Amino acid sequence: MTVSWIPHRFVGGVLALDTANTVVLRIDPQRTFDRFEDTAEIGRFAEAASTFRADELGGRRLQACEPQRIAPVVVAIREATDRLLRNGVREGALGTADLPPLLESCAQGLAGVREKIGAAEAPFCDPATPIAFEAALAVSALSLLRPGVLERLKICPNCGWLFTDKSRNGSRLWCDMAVCGNRRKASRHYKRRMAQREVDDV
Ligand SMILES: [Zn+2]
């Protein structure tokens, strides 16, 4: 079954976090699953991310024409990003022990790539041509090491996704209020009703 890469799947706020979130429910070992298990999804994800992450990418499109070939490096960057930042959110600081896997996988993603990044007008270089997805993913992941990023990072208590809280007062609880916030509210409501019924049954 193919994945619908709908806007909800891009609530991480940063390409590298959206990619980390392609493993769903990391907080629940019984129900967790990987949306890149079918490597063809990497290409479809890159296509959708080109639109949903256009701000970060300066309008440059992502190219992943050989998803099977790039899958190992994409997954390595993804897993290293998730480990470093998930631990970072939990502990309030980044652990240097988690850095080498990220740096090594990002080096692989950038091997042989000759781009100019970080310019104000073209953060990912020339928007007229596409950029290799694994290279853009590496740049995005490394950008998360900037000061000030960690304090805005959160883990959604419902689905376990990592996301950047861009709200002014930093009070966002859910990755997506419309999905996770409501789902949790509905389940609380259900539990209350069941508890009430038990009381009524006595
Ligand atoms: Zn969520």
Side-chain angles (χ1 to χ4, degrees):
M1 200 175 69
T2 58
V3 179
S4 297
W5 293 106
I6 52 175
H8 168 63
R9 300 194 167 132
F10 294 86
V11 294
V14 179
L15 177 65
L17 296 179
D18 295 329
T19 306
N21 293 341
T22 60
V23 175
V24 182
L25 291 164
R26 287 183 191 263
I27 50 175
D28 186 345
Q30 307 294 318
R31 291 159 66 213
T32 187
F33 63 95
D34 182 353
R35 291 207 162 102
F36 285 173
E37 205 173 84
D38 173 5
T39 52
E41 292 295 348
I42 294 174
R44 302 181 65 235
F45 171 87
E47 182 69 31
S50 299
T51 302
F52 296 124
R53 289 279 79 86
D55 277 3
E56 181 185 358
L57 298 166
R60 201 159 179 202
R61 297 202 69 79
L62 301 168
Q63 192 168 51
C65 3
E66 295 174 275
Q68 214 170 352
R69 179 182 61 80
I70 63 168
V73 63
V74 166
V75 168
I77 297 172
R78 179 187 73 177
E79 294 309 301
T81 303
D82 190 86
R83 195 173 315 113
L84 174 73
L85 294 165
R86 192 171 293 273
N87 288 341
V89 172
R90 285 178 181 147
E91 289 160 29
L94 300 177
T96 54
D98 289 333
L99 273 170
L102 180 70
L103 298 176
E104 282 158 17
S105 56
C106 286
Q108 283 176 43
L110 291 166
V113 174
R114 299 281 174 271
E115 301 278 359
K116 298 272 184 260
I117 53 165
E121 293 303 306
F124 276 73
C125 208
D126 178 17
T129 58
I131 184 170
F133 172 51
E134 67 276 24
L137 177 61
V139 173
S140 180
L142 294 170
S143 79
L144 294 168
L145 303 177
R146 288 195 319 272
V149 169
L150 184 62
E151 63 203 54
R152 284 276 172 181
L153 268 189
K154 292 188 175 166
I155 299 171
C156 177
N158 188 56
C159 69
W161 276 353
L162 286 163
F163 66 94
T164 307
D165 181 357
K166 291 179 180 167
S167 67
R168 201 191 296 191
N169 56 2
S171 61
R172 201 170 131 196
L173 179 60
W174 314 101
C175 71
D176 187 340
M177 183 63 209
V179 177
C180 285
N182 283 344
R183 217 168 265 171
R184 190 57 83 91
K185 259 201 252 165
S187 99
R188 267 207 306 267
H189 179 66
Y190 175 77
K191 277 187 197 140
R192 261 203 311 272
R193 270 182 45 204
M194 293 310 282
Q196 187 59 46
R197 265 178 56 183
E198 276 165 30
V199 172
D200 291 347
D201 287 347
V202 173

